[in-house]
Amino acid sequence: MRTMMRSVALLAGLLLAVPLSCRAEIAVTLPPLAGLVAMLDKSSENFCLLSAGADPHHFQISPRRAEQLKQAELLIRAPGTDAGWPLPPDNAQTLRLWPQQNHAWLVPGEVAKALPQIAATLIALHPGREAEIRRQLAAALATVRDIDVRWQQALAPLRSRGVIMQHPAWQPLLEAAGVPVLAVLESPLHGHEEGPHVLEKALAILKTHPDAWLIGDIRHSNRSLEWLARHADHPVRLVYLDALGDCGTGWEALMQDNLDKMSGDKPSTDKLPAPVKP
C-alpha cells in the first residue's frame, strides 16, 4: 500500500512539476495577438491557444493547452472575435482587446490604440523591462504607421472599383480606407455561405461593377466567390488573403504578406473549376 501511495505521489509530482523555463508567460487566443506582444517584448515567452491551421470558428481547447493556460501569467484575447470559444474561466490577469470589434488587428489604427494597452500590461507584469518595452512601443507605433501608409497606397485603386468579399474579416480595413464593400457572401453565422438568391444578387452587382475585385479568405470555403468568378461575363481579379497567419508570424509580416497577395495574386477565371450550380 505504501509503495502504491509513493508511486501515485511521484506521478502527481511529475505531472505538476513543470520547470519554470518551460512555462509560457503569456497565452493568446489568436496568432496575431502573439505578433503584437513580440513587437513590444521579445523576451516574453508566449503561446497561441489556436493551433496552426485550426479553424477559429470551431475551436476546442486541448487538455495540454488548458493546463498551459492555467500556468500562464497573462491571457490576451480579442472578445469581439473569440467570445464564443469554450475557454475555462479567465485567468487572474486577462487583457481584453477590442471587445466590440471583429478582426480589429487587421486595422492599423486599431492596433495603434491597442499597443499602449499591451505595453502597460507587460510593464505591470515585468517592471524591470519597462525601459525596453517603452523603446519597443515607440518603434512598434512607427511600424504600424508605415504599414498603414502601405495599405492606403495599395487600396487607393479600389476606392473607385469596390470589392465583393467571401468573409468580412478585412471589411473594417477596407471601409476605413474608403473602399466600397459591394457584397459579402458569407452569412453572419461564421462559415455558412448564403443561398442562391444572394449569389444571383452578387452576380448582378459584379456586372454593374466590372472592375470590382473579389476577396477570398484562405481559411474559409470560397466556393461562392469562385462560382461568382466563373459566371462573370468578363475577367475578374480574385485574391485570397489570410487574416490570421500563425503564432510564429509577426504582425508586420502578416500584414505585408497580405499586401504582397494583393499585388501578386492574379488567378484568371480559366484556372477555376468547371461551373456548377450554386
Side-chain angles (χ1 to χ4, degrees):
M1 187 62 147
R2 283 183 193 171
T3 301
M4 182 180 295
M5 292 177 65
R6 281 197 299 270
S7 298
V8 171
L10 178 60
L11 178 60
L14 289 173
L15 291 173
L16 295 175
V18 180
L20 287 176
S21 61
C22 295
R23 293 180 181 176
E25 296 174 348
I26 299 171
V28 301
T29 52
L30 297 158
L33 304 182
L36 297 181
V37 172
M39 293 177 80
L40 299 172
D41 188 0
K42 300 186 186 305
S43 61
S44 288
E45 296 180 11
N46 59 70
F47 69 94
C48 300
L49 294 181
L50 185 71
S51 57
D55 184 349
H57 308 118
H58 300 92
F59 172 82
Q60 293 292 330
I61 190 168
S62 68
R64 176 173 174 272
R65 286 299 191 211
E67 184 61 31
Q68 284 182 302
L69 180 57
K70 284 197 297 185
Q71 296 169 2
E73 295 178 282
L74 171 67
L75 170 64
I76 301 179
R77 61 183 307 179
T81 304
D82 63 35
W85 287 19
L87 293 176
D90 280 349
N91 284 21
Q93 188 162 2
T94 299
L95 175 61
R96 300 170 184 82
L97 301 172
W98 314 297
Q100 305 301 324
Q101 295 171 275
N102 288 320
H103 307 95
W105 62 85
L106 299 176
V107 184
E110 294 302 323
V111 171
K113 294 176 186 176
L115 282 172
Q117 292 180 263
I118 301 172
T121 303
L122 295 176
I123 290 169
L125 200 62
H126 294 291
R129 300 179 191 169
E130 179 174 1
E132 179 59 23
I133 291 172
R134 291 197 183 282
R135 280 194 292 271
Q136 294 297 331
L137 174 60
L141 290 172
T143 295
V144 171
R145 288 192 293 270
D146 181 56
I147 286 287
D148 192 19
V149 170
R150 287 184 237 167
W151 270 94
Q152 293 292 331
Q153 292 172 343
L155 293 175
L158 293 180
R159 292 178 187 139
S160 61
R161 298 176 179 177
V163 300
I164 295 175
M165 309 182 71
Q166 177 68 38
H167 177 68
W170 295 88
Q171 187 170 356
L173 174 57
L174 293 170
E175 291 181 340
V179 176
V181 177
L182 305 172
V184 178
L185 301 184
E186 276 194 16
S187 72
L189 184 60
H190 281 307
H192 288 248
E193 297 171 77
E194 295 283 11
H197 65 290
V198 173
L199 291 181
E200 295 294 347
K201 182 178 178 180
L203 185 59
I205 291 173
L206 187 57
K207 288 180 179 179
T208 58
H209 296 79
D211 293 330
W213 287 18
L214 307 185
I215 306 294
D217 188 294
I218 67 169
R219 296 172 187 268
H220 289 249
S221 167
N222 294 286
R223 290 177 301 176
S224 296
L225 202 69
E226 290 162 357
W227 179 93
L228 199 60
R230 286 193 300 267
H231 288 78
D233 55 9
H234 59 277
V236 295
R237 177 75 175 271
L238 177 54
V239 180
Y240 298 90
L241 301 182
D242 178 11
L244 287 175
D246 58 56
C247 205
T249 302
W251 180 82
E252 181 181 10
L254 172 67
M255 298 299 287
Q256 184 60 51
D257 180 62
N258 282 289
L259 268 176
D260 294 342
K261 287 179 169 61
M262 291 288 288
S263 61
D265 278 5
K266 299 181 180 180
S268 60
T269 52
D270 60 3
K271 295 181 182 178
L272 296 170
V276 293
K277 292 183 178 181

